[in-house]
């Protein structure tokens, strides 16, 4: 049977020395306290929808992640994906995180906590407590601890007070009421630093204070129903202290084990609803204490080295600990005798005991943080929450190996009632001991974007770091016969060379970067300033940058704020214009780079992304019309007249910089993705509120707004063979195709979009990008003719989607058959069909006469993990990998304790 093959030359680049940052903190939002009056019974509460996950990293960045399921309670193979990255100051780090509610009453009415109702706090080892503005993406305010470096932070269950454990041995309480941040009081000072803090269970308030005003009763009704009683602090002097909330006095002291006269550090502490205290210390011991008598109940040598983190299961019957020895250990509460008088398993000494049930090694290096969803709230047994057991909780862990690991954590007893759903869809089993875990792939840039950028004409690869960037040049292919080793070996033998290294003076970590196609311009930005450099090549082939000093003032003159920072940067294909998405005002600036004797100038300022008008609950409503012609069903978006009206606030770039738009009509967002069509006519931009706008760069005006989608846009690109076709890939691996000229979703793409194969949508790593071969011609020439003419071996309308561990070839206008993926042909399938041959080429072979489904959605999984995939020329693909083994090789060796007699 005749076969035809599509062959792409692949530059497999492993020289990009990007190093991801270690995970130092994990945090889920709390659940609102139940009503004492019985208005919201805790026992009748269902499984809460999966809330957002916050990841703190050692370089100071904080990642805000959202659940990608079709509903908050449904399975999601992609689990949590990064929606937004809060860029930290340079240099800085994140040691601890805390989320609280801005309005607990509003939180009780929400299915999942909304970002607008959450307050995020972080501490980085210094004496400053930082509150972040989640919507603006920057620091909102800071507060000095007045007690030296902050070792730990912990909010109370009602989200009204934040406790700070300080270097001077005192616990300081900070009031969070009325959306403020003020010191409340200081508890008794101890003679050691406070390494960890946990709040004891609150008790129902017996009677309200008589002098409370009616307004405060109505505003904080739910807050006043519960009263905090005590706190427990883990100290650096081999002890725990129980502190009374009302008086601030230390009530009692619990001493841990010591060895050779050294002090034991209590790194982690937690409290159960019945008052049982759990602690983890530097000797690897996990201890359970009775809070009433402050005596030890159980002690386990759960770890071989320091216990650094601890979290409690949703119903309080499981405790998870981890630390330096890389193991995550589960402790379970088991009943030893049946007691009718005390049916709750958490009644102290009520017919049960704690056991060390199992442990798993999920990481290769130290584990720094643990968090679980649903989160645990220490409530008295009478108000204890009971979650349905048919959905498994999810345990998140992270540490020095830089990736967040997610593990289903159902208890074995949950399987007795029937099947337990694994929310991660990693395996049919969902218990912590047996279920498959999954590792969230690290991404190199903010908001799941890539820090790697490509200059196609100049054949340059640029990678940004926290405070710098590097540029490499890829050698050209040698034009030889296919039988010879004709393409470039991207390795130390001369296939690439480093041509530029830059260290930048920045206020925050770098948030965006771009390099022009001709290799003459580099733009790089932090959250507060954008820098533009002009590159010239010196005699030895290296590049010499020259900064355009006036660029920052040119940008600032068009903006209401003094900041010129950017969240996304992009050069047009002809390298004549720079598109800049400002970080704080979400304004899109079209900048003409000028010539040798003319400085850059701003051509137009677009403010569509910051306008609230036209959106209701983040959905597009303005200018939207019904189905065209009834039968087509295309969604026709804004007309040109409407677009001109929408452009009114930004009609003249030469006018005053201050926008006339009222603050009530503005919305805060961050533009995360931008794409320009190959002919330079169209610009598409997407923000973290799932909104997408299209601009006409020829006319320099707003063209249309797409309908908002359920998930964030992860991949955005125009088809090289049809520049008016915009392809979008989303966080849940769904796709959309949009015709920007017709302002419609084309009919020819609907069969593919509506029936994507499950093996594509259920890939565990979300789509990160999409690219098209620039040599693809719309004429539909044969593959051999196209290759001979210097074109592409791929047919037109063929997209390459890629994620962290896969590349998938998708023919957009192909009909989708059942399944969509090629079935294995027994006895006929060659195991090396999709493997790279000796010269780095990837051949995708297709047998003629077979079903169309077998030609589409070809999947390649042997490149991993991917940082970037794009075409540098027709038929030439650049694949940038950063293998985890190479990254871990630079880390200090992991903890290892040899055993006697072991080989």
């Amino acid at each position: 049977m005749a076969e035809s093959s599509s062959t792409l030359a692949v530059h497999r680049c492993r020289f990009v020395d990007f190093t991801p940052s270690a995970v130092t903190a994990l945090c889920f939002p709390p659940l609102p306290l139940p009503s004492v009056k019985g208005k919201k019974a805790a026992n009748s509460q269902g499984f809460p929808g999966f809330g957002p996950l916050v990841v703190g990293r050692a370089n100071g960045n904080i990642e805000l992640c959202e659940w990608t399921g079709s509903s908050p309670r449904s399975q999601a193979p992609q689990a949590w994906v990064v929606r937004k990255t809060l860029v930290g100051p340079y240099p800085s780090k994140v040691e601890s995180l805390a989320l609280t509610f801005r309005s607990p009453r509003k939180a009780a009415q929400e299915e999942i906590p909304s970002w607008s109702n959450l307050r995020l706090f972080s501490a980085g080892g210094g004496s400053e407590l930082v509150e972040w503005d989640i919507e603006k993406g920057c620091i909102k305010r800071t507060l000095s601890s007045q007690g030296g470096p902050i070792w730990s932070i912990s909010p109370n269950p009602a989200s009204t007070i934040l406790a700070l454990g300080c270097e001077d041995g005192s616990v300081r309480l900070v009031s969070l009421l009325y959306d403020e941040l003020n010191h409340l009081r200081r508890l008794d000072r101890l003679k050691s630093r406070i390494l960890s803090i946990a709040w004891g269970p609150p008790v129902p308030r017996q009677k309200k204070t008589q002098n409370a005003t009616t307004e405060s009763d109505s505003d904080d009704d739910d807050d006043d129903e519960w009263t905090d009683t005590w706190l427990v602090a883990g100290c650096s002097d081999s002890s725990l202290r129980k502190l009374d909330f009302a008086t601030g006095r230390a009530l009692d002291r619990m001493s841990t084990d010591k060895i050779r006269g050294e002090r034991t550090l209590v790194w982690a502490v937690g409290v159960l609803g019945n008052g049982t205290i759990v602690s983890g210390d530097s000797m690897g011991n996990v201890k359970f204490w009775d809070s009433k008598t402050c005596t030890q109940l159980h002690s386990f040598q759960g770890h071989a080295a320091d216990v650094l983190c601890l979290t409690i299961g949703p119903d309080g019957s499981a405790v998870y600990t981890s630390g330096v020895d890389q193991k995550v250990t589960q402790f379970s509460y088991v009943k030893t005798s049946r007691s009718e008088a005390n049916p709750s398993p958490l009644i102290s000494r009520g017919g049960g005991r704690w056991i060390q049930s199992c442990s798993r090694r999920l990481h290769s290096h130290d584990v720094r943080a643990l968090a679980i969803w649903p989160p645990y709230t220490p409530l008295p047994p009478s108000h204890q929450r009971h979650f349905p057991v048919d959905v498994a909780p999810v345990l998140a862990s992270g540490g020095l190996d830089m990736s967040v690991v997610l593990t289903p954590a159902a208890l074995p007893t949950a399987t007795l009632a029937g099947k337990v759903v694994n929310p991660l869809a990693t395996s049919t089993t969902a218990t912590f001991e047996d279920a498959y875990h999954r590792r969230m792939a690290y991404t190199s840039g903010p908001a799941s974007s890539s820090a790697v950028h490509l200059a196609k004409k100049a054949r340059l690869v640029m990678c940004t770091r926290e405070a710098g960037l590097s540029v490499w040049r890829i050698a050209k292919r040698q034009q030889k016969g296919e039988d010879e080793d004709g393409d470039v070996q991207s390795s130390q033998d001369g296939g690439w060379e480093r041509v530029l290294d830059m260290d930048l003076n920045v206020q925050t970590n770098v948030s965006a970067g771009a390099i022009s196609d001709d290799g003459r311009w580099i733009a790089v930005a932090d959250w507060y300033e954008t820098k533009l450099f002009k590159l010239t090549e010196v005699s030895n082939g290296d590049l010499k940058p020259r900064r355009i000093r006036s660029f920052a003032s040119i940008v600032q003159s068009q903006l209401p704020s003094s900041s010129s920072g950017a969240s996304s940067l992009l050069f047009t294909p002809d390298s004549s214009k720079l598109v800049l998405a400002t970080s704080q005002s979400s304004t899109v600036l079209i900048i003409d780079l000028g010539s040798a004797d003319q400085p850059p100038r701003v051509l137009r300022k677009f403010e569509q992304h910051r306008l609230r008008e036209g959106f209701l609950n983040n959905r597009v409503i303005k200018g939207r019309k019904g189905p065209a012609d009834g039968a087509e069903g295309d969604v026709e978006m804004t007309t040109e007249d409407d677009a001109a009206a929408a452009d009114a606030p930004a009609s003249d770039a030469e006018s005053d910089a201050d926008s006339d738009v009222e603050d009530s009509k503005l919305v805060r967002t961050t533009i995360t993705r931008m794409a320009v069509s190959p002919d330079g006519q169209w610009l598409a931009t997407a923000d973290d509120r799932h909104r997408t706008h299209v601009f006409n760069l020829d006319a320099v005006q707003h063209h249309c707004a797409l309908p908002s989608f359920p998930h964030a846009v992860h991949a955005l690109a125009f088809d090289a063979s049809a520049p008016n076709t915009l392809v979008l890939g989303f966080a849940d691996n769904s796709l959309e195709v949009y015709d920007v000229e017709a302002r419609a979703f084309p009919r020819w793409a609907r069969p593919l979009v509506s029936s994507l194969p499950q093996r594509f949508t259920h890939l565990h790593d979300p789509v990160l990008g999409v690219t098209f071969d620039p040599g693809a011609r719309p004429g539909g020439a044969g593959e051999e003719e196209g290759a001979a003419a210097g074109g592409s071996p791929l047919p037109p309308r063929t997209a390459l989607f890629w994620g962290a561990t896969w590349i998938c070839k998708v023919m957009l206008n192909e009909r989708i058959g059942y399944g969509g993926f090629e079935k294995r042909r027994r006895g006929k399938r060659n195991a090396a069909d999709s493997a790279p041959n000796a010269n780095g080429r990837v051949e995708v072979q297709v047998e003629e006469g077979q079903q169309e489904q077998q030609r589409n959605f070809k999947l390649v999984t042997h490149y991993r993990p991917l940082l970037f995939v794009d075409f540098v020329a027709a038929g030439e693909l650049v694949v940038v990998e950063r293998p985890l083994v190479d990254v871990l090789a630079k880390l200090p060796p992991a903890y290892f304790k040899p055993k006697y007699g072991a080989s």
Side-chain angles (χ1 to χ4, degrees):
M1 186 175 291
E3 292 188 359
S4 62
S5 62
S6 300
T7 304
L8 295 176
V10 177
H11 295 270
R12 194 170 186 177
C13 305
R14 292 189 172 185
F15 52 77
V16 176
D17 53 358
F18 168 79
T19 302
S21 185
V23 176
T24 53
L26 294 170
C27 183
F28 283 112
L31 295 179
L33 290 175
S35 173
V36 174
K37 300 176 183 178
K39 292 181 289 186
K40 300 179 290 295
N43 292 346
S44 63
Q45 181 178 357
F47 190 88
F50 287 95
L53 170 64
V54 181
V55 181
R57 296 195 176 265
N59 62 359
N61 286 355
I62 298 176
E63 297 170 353
L64 311 179
C65 307
E66 282 185 343
W67 186 253
T68 56
S70 56
S71 70
R73 293 179 179 84
S74 63
Q75 279 187 322
Q78 294 82 28
W80 284 275
V81 297
V82 182
R83 163 189 181 262
K84 190 172 187 175
T85 299
L86 306 180
V87 183
Y90 181 83
S92 67
K93 58 182 178 178
V94 176
E95 292 290 347
S96 48
L97 290 170
L99 279 172
T100 65
F101 291 122
R102 186 167 275 112
S103 168
R105 169 175 289 185
K106 181 182 178 183
Q109 301 170 354
E110 295 176 330
E111 187 176 16
I112 58 172
S114 61
W115 291 110
S116 60
N117 193 35
L118 289 175
R119 300 177 68 182
L120 176 61
F121 302 92
S122 71
S127 60
E128 296 286 325
L129 175 69
V130 177
E131 180 178 3
W132 292 85
D133 190 321
I134 294 178
E135 292 184 334
K136 290 182 68 175
C138 60
I139 293 176
K140 184 175 184 179
R141 57 168 75 100
T142 61
L143 182 72
S144 173
S145 69
Q146 301 179 0
I150 300 172
W151 282 88
S152 56
I153 61 177
S154 177
N156 69 338
S159 289
T160 56
I161 299 174
L162 191 66
L164 312 179
C166 300
E167 173 80 19
D168 68 348
S170 62
V171 175
R172 283 174 164 78
L173 303 182
V174 177
S175 173
L176 306 180
L177 289 174
Y178 312 114
D179 203 20
E180 294 184 355
L181 193 65
N182 299 310
H183 278 282
L184 189 62
R185 59 196 178 97
R186 176 176 64 86
L187 306 188
D188 273 3
R189 179 174 295 177
L190 308 175
K191 293 184 179 180
S192 69
R193 61 175 66 102
I194 309 298
L195 301 179
S196 52
I197 306 177
W199 289 79
V203 296
R205 184 183 290 270
Q206 300 299 324
K207 59 180 181 178
K208 288 183 177 288
T209 54
Q210 298 297 324
N211 58 354
T213 62
T214 306
E215 183 179 355
S216 64
D217 283 346
S218 61
D219 289 346
D220 302 311
D221 188 27
D222 290 342
D223 301 343
D224 290 341
E225 292 180 357
W226 295 91
T227 304
D228 295 303
T229 52
W230 51 272
L231 301 89
V232 62
C235 305
S236 61
D237 61 350
S238 311
S239 69
L240 294 86
R241 309 295 176 93
K242 183 181 176 183
L243 303 165
D244 185 71
F245 173 75
T247 63
R249 300 294 178 90
L251 297 176
D252 220 326
R253 184 177 190 269
M254 293 159 275
S255 298
T256 61
D257 302 340
K258 289 194 288 187
I259 184 170
R260 291 192 297 271
E262 297 179 2
R263 290 187 174 184
T264 302
L265 309 177
V266 182
W267 290 115
V269 69
V271 180
L272 301 175
N274 65 339
T276 301
I277 299 170
V278 191
S279 67
D281 58 41
S282 56
M283 292 182 62
N285 293 325
V286 178
K287 296 179 179 291
F288 293 80
W289 309 82
D290 187 329
S291 62
K292 294 180 180 179
T293 60
C294 290
T295 56
Q296 180 179 301
L297 298 175
H298 307 285
S299 179
F300 301 94
Q301 183 68 44
H303 298 271
D306 297 51
V307 178
L308 300 179
C309 48
L310 175 155
T311 191
I312 301 172
D315 59 355
S317 59
V319 172
Y320 301 91
T321 60
S322 191
V324 174
D325 68 349
Q326 311 119 39
K327 289 194 305 183
V328 179
T329 302
Q330 182 190 49
F331 299 88
S332 302
Y333 186 88
V334 296
K335 294 180 181 180
T336 54
S337 64
R338 197 173 294 274
S339 173
E340 296 181 0
N342 295 327
S344 173
L346 297 182
I347 297 297
S348 181
R349 307 183 188 183
R353 62 170 286 121
W354 287 91
I355 64 168
Q356 181 177 334
S357 49
C358 76
S359 62
R360 299 183 59 179
R361 194 179 300 276
L362 304 174
H363 294 265
S364 62
H365 284 69
D366 303 13
V367 180
R368 294 288 306 275
L370 286 173
I372 196 166
W373 184 268
Y376 179 70
T377 307
L379 292 172
S382 58
H383 293 80
Q384 180 192 348
R385 286 191 173 97
H386 298 282
F387 297 107
V389 296
D390 59 341
V391 180
V394 176
L395 178 70
S397 57
L400 298 189
D401 58 1
M402 306 157 190
S403 297
V404 178
V405 172
L406 304 175
T407 312
L411 298 175
T413 53
T415 60
L416 300 177
K419 184 178 179 181
V420 180
V421 176
N422 180 352
L424 305 177
T426 53
S427 58
T428 54
T429 57
T431 57
F432 175 74
E433 187 172 5
D434 300 323
Y436 289 140
H437 64 278
R438 64 153 304 218
R439 183 182 296 272
M440 290 174 59
Y442 50 78
T443 55
S444 54
S448 297
S449 63
S450 178
V452 181
H453 309 275
L454 180 67
K456 297 181 180 180
K457 295 177 183 177
R459 303 180 70 88
L460 299 176
V461 175
M462 182 183 81
C463 180
T464 58
R465 304 184 299 272
E466 282 89 0
L469 59 88
S470 297
V471 180
W472 297 265
R473 179 182 287 113
I474 299 176
K476 292 184 179 181
R477 291 176 60 195
Q478 301 174 11
Q479 300 298 326
K480 295 183 179 180
E482 285 195 8
D483 294 336
E484 301 178 26
D485 188 4
D487 74 330
V488 172
Q489 299 292 320
S490 293
S491 58
Q492 298 288 351
D493 60 0
W496 57 271
E497 60 176 336
R498 188 190 295 261
V499 293
L500 178 64
D501 267 322
M502 292 178 65
D503 291 323
L504 304 170
N505 183 14
V506 292
Q507 300 179 55
T508 71
N509 294 332
V510 170
S511 60
I515 184 168
S516 62
D517 261 5
D518 60 4
R520 294 178 59 243
W521 299 94
I522 280 181
V524 62
D526 63 11
W527 205 251
Y528 300 106
E529 184 183 13
T530 301
K531 297 179 172 69
L532 180 65
F533 298 91
K534 191 168 185 177
L535 302 179
T536 54
E537 187 171 348
V538 294
S539 57
N540 63 354
D542 288 350
L543 298 178
K544 182 180 179 180
R546 180 176 63 86
R547 185 179 174 186
I548 308 300
R549 296 284 176 180
S550 60
F551 182 74
S553 59
I554 293 171
V555 173
Q556 288 177 4
S557 66
Q558 300 296 324
L559 301 175
S561 64
S562 59
S563 166
S564 66
S567 61
S568 188
L569 294 166
L570 185 66
F571 287 94
T572 55
D574 60 359
S575 304
S576 65
K577 299 183 184 68
L578 170 66
V579 183
L580 186 150
T582 60
S583 56
Q584 302 217 2
S585 58
S586 302
T587 302
V588 178
L589 297 180
I590 311 298
I591 301 170
D592 185 356
L593 296 176
S595 57
D597 55 345
Q598 291 184 347
R601 63 189 181 97
V602 178
L603 298 178
R604 193 71 182 272
K605 176 175 65 173
F606 296 110
E607 297 188 320
Q608 275 70 24
H609 280 281
R610 64 194 302 244
L611 295 179
R612 187 182 300 274
E613 183 182 10
F615 296 91
L616 179 64
N617 294 330
N618 293 333
R619 306 292 290 181
V620 175
I621 59 172
K622 181 182 177 183
R624 188 168 180 173
K625 300 184 178 180
D629 301 329
E632 286 271 338
D634 292 344
V635 179
E636 186 173 323
M637 300 310 299
T638 320
T639 62
E640 292 187 4
D641 294 337
D642 294 333
D647 285 340
S651 58
D652 190 4
E654 303 300 328
S655 61
D656 293 337
D658 294 336
S659 174
D660 296 331
V661 184
E662 299 177 5
D663 288 341
S664 61
K665 296 181 180 179
L666 299 181
V667 64
R668 292 174 178 174
T669 185
T670 300
I671 299 173
T672 57
R673 297 289 190 279
M674 297 197 299
V676 175
S677 60
D679 58 1
Q681 180 180 0
W682 304 106
L683 166 69
T685 57
D687 62 28
D688 64 349
R689 290 180 178 264
H690 310 167
R691 306 179 303 178
T692 307
H693 288 274
V694 178
F695 304 90
N696 188 325
L697 293 183
D698 288 349
V700 197
Q701 67 179 15
H702 182 260
H703 182 69
C704 65
L706 273 68
S708 50
F709 301 100
H711 295 285
V713 175
H714 271 201
L716 193 66
F718 288 88
D719 190 349
S721 61
N724 61 321
T725 301
L726 177 65
V727 178
L728 305 95
F730 300 97
D732 62 343
N733 284 5
S734 59
L735 309 178
E736 285 289 348
V737 179
Y738 188 75
D739 189 331
V740 295
E741 283 191 359
R743 297 188 177 95
F745 297 97
R747 174 183 284 183
W748 56 264
R750 286 181 202 158
L752 176 129
V753 170
S754 60
S755 59
L756 294 172
Q758 193 178 65
R759 277 185 58 196
F760 179 75
T761 59
H762 283 208
L763 287 166
H764 285 297
D765 290 308
V767 58
L768 296 179
V770 57
T771 181
F772 292 88
D773 193 332
R777 288 185 169 81
E783 293 178 359
E784 296 179 1
E785 296 176 8
S792 167
L794 298 178
R797 286 182 176 169
T798 299
L800 285 186
F801 290 90
W802 61 275
T805 57
W806 54 269
I807 303 175
C808 188
K809 184 182 80 169
V810 180
M811 290 179 278
L812 301 176
N813 56 353
E814 194 83 8
R815 286 187 56 194
I816 297 296
Y818 175 77
F821 274 84
E822 180 178 356
K823 298 179 180 179
R824 290 186 177 271
R825 303 185 296 278
R826 295 183 182 272
K828 295 183 180 181
R829 184 176 179 88
N830 184 1
D833 275 354
S834 60
N837 57 20
N839 61 5
R841 297 173 183 263
V842 171
E843 296 188 2
V844 182
Q845 296 187 350
V846 180
E847 292 193 10
E848 296 179 355
Q850 293 194 349
Q851 296 180 4
E852 294 174 348
Q853 65 179 28
Q854 298 180 0
R855 299 173 47 205
N856 209 1
F857 289 93
K858 291 283 184 178
L859 201 66
V860 175
T861 58
H862 51 258
Y863 300 116
R864 59 175 61 194
L866 294 173
L867 299 183
F868 182 76
V869 176
D870 199 1
F871 284 92
V872 68
E876 279 188 77
L877 192 66
V878 171
V879 173
V880 179
E881 296 175 280
R882 187 59 170 150
L884 184 62
V885 176
D886 296 347
V887 176
L888 297 180
K890 295 187 176 182
L891 292 179
Y895 173 83
F896 174 70
K897 188 175 183 180
K899 293 182 179 180
Y900 176 75
S903 58

